[in-house]
Amino acid sequence: MRRGWIAIGALMMLGGCEQPRTGRSRASLWTPLAVAQDPLVRMPGSQPGQGIKVDAPNGCDCHAAYNTAVEPMHLWKGSMMAQAGRDPIFFAAFAVAAQDSIHAVGRPNATDICLRCHFPRGWIEGRNDPTNASLMTGADHDGVQCGSCHIQYDPHFEATHLGTREGSDWAGYWDETGQSATPSAAAAATARQENIQQAAGVKRYNGGAFFVGNLPPATWTEAAGGQTFLSASGLRRASFADAGAKHQFLYSRYHKSKYFCASCHDVSNPVLANLAHKNTPPGDGVTVLPTEKDPAYSYFHAERTFSEFMLSAYGQQGGAAGIGPFAPTVFKTSSPGNAIARCQDCHMRDSTGVACKQQGVDRPAGSVEHPKSGQPLHDLSGGNILVTSILASAAPGSPSYDATNATLL
């Protein structure tokens, strides 16, 4: 069974969508169209070809090799985020999606949507066309990696800054005292100025500005399904104003926000949403695509993880108390009353320790600015044990080591 999954994955990685046995050439099955000229897969956010670079994970090794129980790099390596570009089940589904796209609209570009989240580094750096992942490099297969998350900025930064998106309970919900040498409000204001500069360069498919007065379209309330906004400056962003890093960084409320996770975990089908504009050329100065004015949850869905969370008690303002092992008396969060109020509370739960072997704040006790926030665990806990066990079988020394799987992977 294990070798069967690996073989499927290997075929998809090597060949993308295989030719049906009809005697026809691949070229006769679809009409090629450059992804940049395809309105069906255009969504808001940063786009390939804009010169945005994402550092490979090996540039973040200061966050490793000091305490495997808490260090971000070690924990991330074993997560499904790190394996998003190796998951053989993903590649099987990926091939089916390409075939369905060809059948439905005459080109396979719908799989560009898949690349956005499973290969964010390769996608933004322009290795997304052709959309079968054949141009992805070795480091691209590290999936959702450090840089692809830590240079993201909040497209609703103005509302967040004003406290109208997730509220202005700076001491409670946001865990900001303002009493340290690096107060959160000042650090957030610095980040806002950087966000304004980055947002000014974001364009619609028609060539016009996406942001007006630092605001996205009023009806566009969710950045989801791969609609990521990445900073071309490359400055790292994270959730603590008092991080004390040796490199430049920006304080980001977005990285402690529940909305951060929507960028990949609420997936809709832009091809169907934009179908009426199938033949619209880019830069016409007029057309506003449905994906550029409507929230992703409003059109045909593929995955609704974030929407389901938002409809739960935990997604409501202030969150809700957990039960059993997640009850407030047992499970600690940075929210008032130990409520569970954001995805990170469970999937990047608080721990005790530092984020870097060079220097850093020993959280939570060592932080004046964020006294309730522990060091977020980067294991990104989830429910997929099949893929992680398959990948472990390719690691020498693993109890489940399999030489065939190691060769294929």
Side-chain angles (χ1 to χ4, degrees):
M1 176 68 174
R2 184 166 63 214
R3 292 183 181 180
W5 280 120
I6 293 294
I8 291 171
L11 284 173
M12 298 310 120
M13 291 172 73
L14 292 172
C17 175
E18 290 300 303
Q19 175 184 342
R21 296 180 181 178
T22 61
R24 296 184 293 167
S25 68
R26 279 190 189 181
S28 68
L29 298 178
W30 66 75
T31 302
L33 180 67
V35 175
Q37 299 175 4
D38 191 346
L40 296 183
V41 295
R42 177 67 179 235
M43 290 190 286
S46 302
Q47 305 295 326
Q50 295 181 333
I52 297 173
K53 297 292 183 183
V54 175
D55 290 340
N58 58 12
C60 301
D61 55 7
C62 287
H63 300 278
Y66 63 93
N67 181 356
T68 56
V70 69
E71 63 191 43
M73 180 63 78
H74 174 78
L75 295 169
W76 166 80
K77 284 182 177 179
S79 73
M80 278 308 302
M81 294 291 187
Q83 311 306 332
R86 300 186 182 94
D87 180 352
I89 299 175
F90 159 73
F91 275 101
F94 184 62
V96 172
Q99 293 165 352
D100 287 350
S101 178
I102 292 166
H103 175 77
V105 295
R107 49 191 185 249
N109 289 354
T111 51
D112 182 70
I113 308 157
C114 313
L115 300 181
R116 284 172 172 258
C117 288
H118 284 259
F119 291 89
R121 180 175 184 262
W123 186 84
I124 196 63
E125 292 186 3
R127 294 182 288 279
N128 62 317
D129 197 352
T131 63
N132 64 0
S134 60
L135 295 184
M136 297 297 171
T137 66
D140 295 337
H141 286 271
D142 285 330
V144 185
Q145 48 198 263
C146 318
S148 55
C149 282
H150 285 284
I151 63 169
Q152 283 195 43
Y153 66 93
D154 183 359
H156 294 93
F157 63 87
E158 195 74 347
T160 300
H161 186 77
L162 294 172
T164 57
R165 186 159 172 83
E166 284 178 88
S168 58
D169 182 7
W170 310 117
Y173 181 83
W174 295 105
D175 188 24
E176 301 174 354
T177 67
Q179 301 301 310
S180 72
T182 54
S184 296
T190 298
R192 173 179 174 269
Q193 291 304 313
E194 170 77 9
N195 294 344
I196 291 171
Q197 293 179 28
Q198 297 300 322
V202 179
K203 304 295 183 184
R204 293 188 180 199
Y205 184 71
N206 65 21
F210 183 72
F211 289 90
V212 177
N214 302 331
L215 297 172
T219 55
W220 183 82
T221 57
E222 181 190 64
Q227 299 177 33
T228 53
F229 292 72
L230 306 176
S231 172
S233 75
L235 287 177
R236 274 70 161 181
R237 297 157 179 264
S239 50
F240 299 123
D242 61 349
K246 287 193 171 183
H247 56 72
Q248 284 187 289
F249 74 96
L250 292 170
Y251 171 52
S252 171
R253 288 172 178 148
Y254 190 42
H255 283 72
K256 62 173 73 175
S257 164
K258 58 193 175 187
Y259 290 105
F260 183 85
C261 302
S263 58
C264 279
H265 290 284
D266 220 36
V267 184
S268 296
N269 192 326
V271 172
L272 298 180
N274 293 338
L275 195 58
H277 304 282
K278 178 181 178 180
N279 298 314
T280 302
D284 68 357
V286 177
T287 302
V288 176
L289 299 173
T291 53
E292 296 176 318
K293 62 181 181 65
D294 299 331
Y297 60 74
S298 68
Y299 45 93
F300 193 88
H301 71 272
E303 175 198 311
R304 275 292 173 268
T305 305
F306 182 73
S307 287
E308 291 166 3
F309 168 79
M310 288 296 285
L311 291 170
S312 75
Y314 303 116
Q316 306 309 301
Q317 191 66 36
I323 60 175
F326 298 97
T329 55
V330 180
F331 190 73
K332 307 300 182 184
T333 75
S334 62
S335 296
N338 290 323
I340 295 170
R342 49 180 78 79
C343 315
Q344 296 91 322
D345 286 337
C346 289
H347 295 280
M348 297 186 73
R349 62 201 182 280
D350 288 342
S351 68
T352 301
V354 298
C356 180
K357 65 183 177 183
Q358 304 286 15
Q359 64 184 51
V361 178
D362 189 7
R363 303 189 190 282
S367 176
V368 173
E369 188 62 33
H370 308 287
K372 295 179 292 184
S373 298
Q375 168 58 31
L377 289 182
H378 282 61
D379 59 356
L380 297 139
S381 306
N384 192 328
I385 60 172
L386 174 60
V387 170
T388 50
S389 66
I390 290 172
L391 293 167
S393 74
S398 168
S400 59
Y401 178 73
D402 184 292
T404 301
N405 288 357
T407 299
L408 287 169
L409 285 171

